[in-house]
Amino acid sequence: MTVSSDIVAYHTEQTRRAAEIYVADLTRQDAATDWYRANAIARSKVVDALRATDLMRDLSKGISKSAAHLVVLRHMLAPPMSQDQFALLCPAYSKAAENTGRVIAIDAAKMLAAAIEGGRDKRLARWLNRGTTPAIHEVKELLRTVSPILAQQLVATLRRGRLSATQERAVIDLLTAKGWARQRSALIEKLDDVPVKYFMHKTRFATKNRPQEVDIACGLGKTVVLAMECKVTNDQTNSVKRVNDVLKKATAWQDHWGSFVKTAALLQGVLSFKDVERLLTSNVEVFWTHDLETFGNWLELNAIR
């Protein structure tokens, strides 16, 4: 799809404006609160991992009970490793298992424990080097060292989650103010499941494979439904992942529903314009959180009774 120069100019400016707003938010109290919360969560995760592994003395026992402890143990390596890096180091590692906290078979847990022990920062958990019971100050030192490192990984996700929740509430408030009615979320199997000027929040569309979740579905009338994905990105690298997610869903909906589902992306944060352009050229409607009026006007033109 060819994009007009006027549309390119508008979205180029909105991309710049979105980044400007995001940067300004970094110095506000909400951002500081994200950081404090990230530190509290990180400290709690470190404490849980220490308890599960008997203060690092039985790594395989802790890992087998829950792979979620690996997020802490990866950050005790020298240097700390991302999930993808650790997968290269240890083929027994599963990103999905860590993310969901699954129970791990003991043989796999032993391989993971060996990889952690082999790359462990020897300045941490010094009692393991001596083979003795840890001193209280050594445990405190580990907590003081690892928790902030882990918090740095958590804070961006917390910030994005906070902004995403605010973003979705703003859309719901806009729809409600315009007289749209909210429906109970349920699997959308027929397009008249969402009548004109009705919407669902956090629901799913049937596709040829498995249902795809959508943030907000809006009935536009004549069995046409708008599938809106709300995306907050922390940086231009992150924007690639978020846009890829929208395009993947748009393809699945297009393959199943054809033109009866219109895909939209409501964007916020730091994006590369080339990612915004990928959406536009893929026939995805693009809107901006800081310019919701434009989305409201679009609805007035496209919701047909």
Side-chain angles (χ1 to χ4, degrees), residues 19 27 41 73 83 85-86 108-109 144 149 152 155 162 194-196 206 211 214 224 258 277-278 283 299:
T27 58
I41 293 172
L73 300 177
Q83 290 181 313
Q85 289 172 331
F86 190 64
R144 284 194 301 268
I149 297 173
Q152 287 183 321
V155 69
R162 169 176 60 82
V194 192
V196 64
V214 63
V224 177
E277 195 169 32
R278 284 199 294 141
N283 207 29
L299 285 175

Side-chain angles (χ1 to χ4, degrees), residues 58-61 63 70 90 108-118:
D58 194 344
L59 293 178
S60 58
K61 176 184 174 183
I63 293 169
L70 286 165
C90 184
K110 287 179 178 179
M111 286 188 278
L112 291 161
I116 294 292
E117 181 55 38

Side-chain angles (χ1 to χ4, degrees), residues 171-192:
V171 175
I172 291 170
D173 289 346
L174 172 71
L175 291 168
T176 303
K178 287 185 171 294
W180 289 58
R182 183 170 180 171
Q183 274 187 285
R184 182 180 62 85
S185 295
L187 177 65
I188 300 172
E189 298 181 285
K190 307 186 304 297
L191 289 174
D192 56 8

